[in-house]
Amino acid sequence: MLPMAKKNQMPPKDFAEALKELEEIVGQIERGEVGLEESLAKYERGSFLIQHCMGVLNEAEKKIEVIAKGPDGSLKAEPVGGEVEG
Amino acid sequence: MDFFDFHEKVTKRAAKGDAAGGPPKAQREILTVTQLTGRIEKAIKDAMPGSVVVQGEVSNLKHHAGSGHYYFTLKDANACIDCVMFKSDAARLKFSPQDGIELLATGHVAVYGQRGRYQLYVSRLELLGQGALELAFRQLCAKLEAEGLFATERKKLIPLYPQRVALVTSTQTAAIQDMLKVLRRFPWVRVLAYHVPVQGDGSAEKIAAAIADLNCRASDIGGVDVILLGRGGGSLEDLWAFNEEIVARAVVASRIPIITGIGHEIDVSIADLAADYHAHTPTEAAQVAISQWRGANDAVESLAIQLRREIRSVIQDAKQRLIAVQRHELFRRPMDRINLARQLLDDRQRALALAVGARLRRLQATLHPLANRLDQLHPRHGIALGRERLNSLGRRMQQAMATLQQTRTRQIESLAVHLNAVGPEQVLRRGYSITTLKKTGAVLRRPAQIKVGDRLVTRVAEGQVQSRVEDPNQLGLFD
């Protein structure tokens, strides 16, 4: 069951995508569109997505960075302290 | 002083003037018009500074379609001056001059000899005062609107859950603090600040460049989901950078959605009109960006609860069905169904046999008469019939032949009798003879047929004799 497990653990593109997928999973199970085995697989995927979303929301570190332009035109983000935070 | 005194005084003064200022009559200089004009030109050039700034109201404005030059008159209450602005200078204008507007014209004065005029050659026009800025705003607004830059269908969707927010603003103002105050409550949102001056010369270009940079180089800093373009409140002049065309075009060109929060509630900048979402203040812009995140926790939790409830219900349902199936009589007396089916099968088999038998019989009934008819039509019947007719004909023919033969035999016999009766034998028997020439076999009928020495054969009843002619001239038999 490695492929299934792999698919179930694939992180979504972003938070909105995760929520959308979760809603779909709940909807599909709710409407009985999927069989029992698939329901369980989807439940597993749903649990993973919930963990993922919770993980995003529980990220504690505040990230404020200042963008600096390098001599070659590339951009660099540097964390700052009190200066910007005020 | 009477009239004559006055007249004298005036005359004297005039004469004095003549003597002092005017050239002597003998050396009177005559100038061509061109020379005069050249002198005037020089005088103006020497007396006037290289560049002057003049305030006045525009009138008689003409934009020459072919050359692209502007021709107009600048006037105030007491004077006016012809002005020309060449296409190359006019291209830098941020507004379209119109009759009646008050402005500052920078340029130099020079003579236009062909027309005998002096003109102000304008290199730069600036609008004057608040009203002038509003005019520039309205004009640019109308131009970009006509190009469709503000069209709703051009607006990009703001991502619901941006995880990387870039602030394009000055890091030294209160506006950034307002935005951070909102964003700080969502620690998982990465905030990137791109410092730009938000007022003064060149600020518009820097703002536009920052937006372009973020679009080209977002991957350098891990990507950007949304840009907040913000500035605190100020006068129309303070906010002017956000009304510049270059900023509006950068906002429209951005692939990353842009939320603007510029000035106070009542301010609307051209950048606001071009933005994908126009929030009224920096604080509101930040609130719009994170609005969905507020409910994110609840949304995830409610989905988690729903998911658990649904899967429980699915499992419960499956169990129920399993139990129902187990209880079904099918599982309790499994042979019932099979026996029933078997009985049904037997019935069907019998019915089938009956049906097939009936059908066969019906077919046979149809077939029999046909077979009979066909049998009757068989060729052997014809052959037998033919053979019979042939036999009968044969028999009849044989009979006919036999009859014919008898008849013929009788005829021949009778003929033979007749023949005998008339034949020479009987005549010869009666003593006659037949003489023929030996040479030709011809029957001797006339003496002329023979001559002396011819051999003759004479047949008589009992045989024949040969003789030789001695005298053919004999008397006729009956002479």
Side-chain angles (χ1 to χ4, degrees):
Chain A
M1 290 309 268
L2 191 65
M4 174 72 84
K6 227 177 195 170
K7 191 206 162 202
N8 271 343
Q9 301 295 308
M10 214 149 64
K13 194 180 89 206
D14 55 31
F15 196 86
E17 197 77 5
L19 280 190
K20 206 176 128 213
E21 199 183 332
L22 258 175
E23 277 162 6
E24 271 169 17
I25 287 172
V26 170
Q28 282 170 341
I29 299 177
E30 192 176 40
R31 291 188 299 273
E33 281 172 5
V34 290
L36 185 62
E37 288 88 342
E38 214 185 330
S39 290
L40 292 172
K42 285 198 178 292
Y43 176 73
E44 201 183 312
R45 171 70 176 162
S47 300
F48 165 75
L49 290 172
I50 289 166
Q51 289 307 310
H52 173 84
C53 290
M54 291 297 192
V56 168
L57 297 179
N58 290 333
E59 212 168 324
E61 193 194 351
K62 178 71 219 134
K63 291 171 179 167
I64 295 176
E65 293 150 88
V66 164
I67 298 169
K69 211 163 149 75
D72 59 343
S74 69
L75 300 182
K76 227 165 43 187
E78 291 161 351
V80 289
E83 188 198 343
V84 170
E85 299 258 11
Chain B
M1 195 192 288
D2 64 6
F3 172 76
F4 296 101
D5 285 344
F6 177 72
H7 182 254
E8 195 180 354
K9 266 186 187 164
V10 169
T11 315
K12 269 182 191 162
R13 197 184 289 163
K16 230 189 261 169
D18 261 11
K25 270 194 177 156
Q27 295 165 352
R28 196 169 61 168
E29 189 186 11
I30 298 171
L31 297 172
T32 64
V33 176
T34 304
Q35 283 168 334
L36 177 63
T37 305
R39 285 201 185 179
I40 294 169
E41 203 170 350
K42 188 171 182 304
I44 289 176
K45 207 172 172 187
D46 291 347
M48 294 293 298
S51 174
V52 290
V53 181
V54 193
Q55 177 176 349
E57 187 192 317
V58 175
S59 67
N60 292 324
L61 180 86
K62 284 187 190 72
H63 186 216
H64 194 274
S67 64
H69 306 332
Y70 277 107
Y71 300 96
F72 55 95
T73 305
L74 213 53
K75 66 175 186 183
D76 60 17
N78 301 313
C80 66
I81 182 170
D82 287 339
C83 298
V84 58
M85 188 174 201
F86 293 133
K87 187 185 181 182
S88 53
D89 294 315
R92 287 199 301 273
L93 283 174
K94 285 170 180 160
F95 63 95
S96 308
Q98 285 175 359
D99 280 343
I101 59 169
E102 189 86 5
L103 40 70
L104 290 180
T106 307
H108 67 277
V109 178
V111 167
Y112 179 44
Q114 286 95 323
R115 287 271 173 188
R117 281 186 200 159
Y118 63 94
Q119 294 188 133
L120 180 63
Y121 289 83
V122 180
S123 57
R124 189 173 165 208
L125 284 176
E126 287 164 88
L127 289 160
L128 214 57
Q130 189 81 357
L133 284 180
E134 276 163 17
L135 174 76
F137 176 88
R138 277 202 308 279
Q139 286 178 345
L140 180 58
C141 199
K143 176 179 160 190
L144 298 183
E145 171 102 67
E147 279 185 41
L149 295 196
F150 306 151
T152 320
E153 54 268 27
R154 290 193 77 133
K155 309 272 183 213
K156 294 170 281 294
L157 283 175
I158 307 296
L160 293 177
Y161 298 97
Q163 278 171 282
R164 297 154 303 189
V165 176
L167 312 179
V168 174
T169 187
S170 165
T171 51
Q172 281 122 39
T173 61
I176 193 168
Q177 297 307 330
D178 289 348
M179 292 193 276
L180 290 177
K181 205 181 286 173
V182 176
L183 298 172
R184 204 171 280 143
R185 277 178 254 143
F186 304 87
W188 57 86
V189 177
R190 187 179 178 201
V191 178
L192 299 145
Y194 196 125
H195 173 77
V196 288
V198 289
Q199 74 184 81
D201 270 356
S203 54
E205 285 76 9
K206 293 207 170 90
I207 292 166
I211 292 169
D213 258 357
L214 285 173
N215 271 281
C216 301
R217 300 287 197 156
S219 59
D220 292 355
I221 48 173
V224 172
D225 297 325
V226 68
I227 293 172
L228 305 189
L229 183 57
R231 192 208 185 281
S235 68
L236 185 56
E237 275 171 294
D238 289 342
L239 300 180
W240 195 250
F242 296 92
N243 287 324
E244 297 269 17
E245 189 169 348
I246 188 170
V247 172
R249 292 200 185 277
V251 168
V252 169
S254 175
R255 276 176 290 105
I256 303 167
I258 294 182
I259 302 173
T260 51
I262 296 156
H264 294 303
E265 310 282 328
I266 49 156
D267 299 320
V268 177
S269 68
I270 287 176
D272 284 327
L273 297 174
D276 301 301
Y277 191 96
H278 164 206
H280 294 92
T281 62
T283 300
E284 195 194 321
Q287 283 166 342
V288 166
I290 51 76
S291 61
Q292 288 296 314
W293 281 121
R294 280 184 205 288
N297 237 314
D298 289 350
V300 173
E301 254 158 38
S302 115
L303 279 169
I305 290 165
Q306 255 183 303
L307 183 66
R308 276 197 294 276
R309 197 177 56 214
E310 289 309 331
I311 200 72
R312 258 204 303 276
S313 134
V314 165
I315 293 169
Q316 199 61 34
D317 195 43
K319 267 187 195 156
Q320 289 294 333
R321 275 157 56 196
L322 192 63
I323 289 166
V325 166
Q326 277 174 338
R327 281 181 188 155
H328 198 275
E329 67 173 326
L330 196 71
F331 278 88
R332 284 185 286 142
R333 300 199 317 196
M335 287 310 284
D336 279 8
R337 202 96 201 227
I338 294 167
N339 286 336
L340 190 72
R342 215 171 257 166
Q343 197 179 345
L344 207 65
L345 191 66
D346 288 347
D347 278 358
R348 291 273 190 281
Q349 228 165 7
R350 263 197 303 280
L352 184 68
L354 281 174
V356 168
R359 180 111 181 94
L360 274 177
R361 273 192 298 283
R362 263 203 308 282
L363 282 174
Q364 273 169 357
T366 328
L367 200 57
H368 268 311
L370 283 174
N372 282 341
R373 279 172 63 192
L374 189 67
D375 195 39
Q376 279 162 9
L377 290 173
H378 197 279
R380 75 183 130 84
H381 294 287
I383 291 169
L385 211 64
R387 194 177 285 147
E388 220 163 84
R389 283 180 61 196
L390 205 60
N391 286 344
S392 122
L393 281 173
R395 272 195 307 278
R396 279 169 63 193
M397 195 165 76
Q398 269 172 6
Q399 225 158 23
M401 285 301 282
T403 313
L404 194 65
Q405 214 166 1
Q406 280 169 11
T407 314
R408 287 276 187 269
T409 311
R410 272 196 303 276
Q411 276 178 348
I412 288 169
E413 280 166 2
S414 129
L415 278 173
V417 170
H418 278 150
L419 198 59
N420 259 334
V422 298
E425 298 296 323
Q426 296 300 319
V427 179
L428 294 177
R429 242 179 266 277
R430 286 199 312 257
Y432 294 92
S433 64
I434 302 166
T435 304
T436 54
L437 275 84
K438 190 177 182 190
K439 208 162 71 186
T440 60
V443 174
L444 184 63
R445 294 177 199 273
R446 294 178 306 269
Q449 280 177 279
I450 51 173
K451 54 193 192 277
V452 177
D454 281 348
R455 291 183 186 266
L456 300 175
V457 176
T458 304
R459 287 178 63 184
V460 293
E462 296 297 328
Q464 58 183 34
V465 290
Q466 284 198 24
S467 53
R468 184 172 292 164
V469 178
E470 280 177 8
D471 182 9
N473 295 314
Q474 298 282 323
L475 286 177
L477 193 55
F478 305 107
D479 287 339

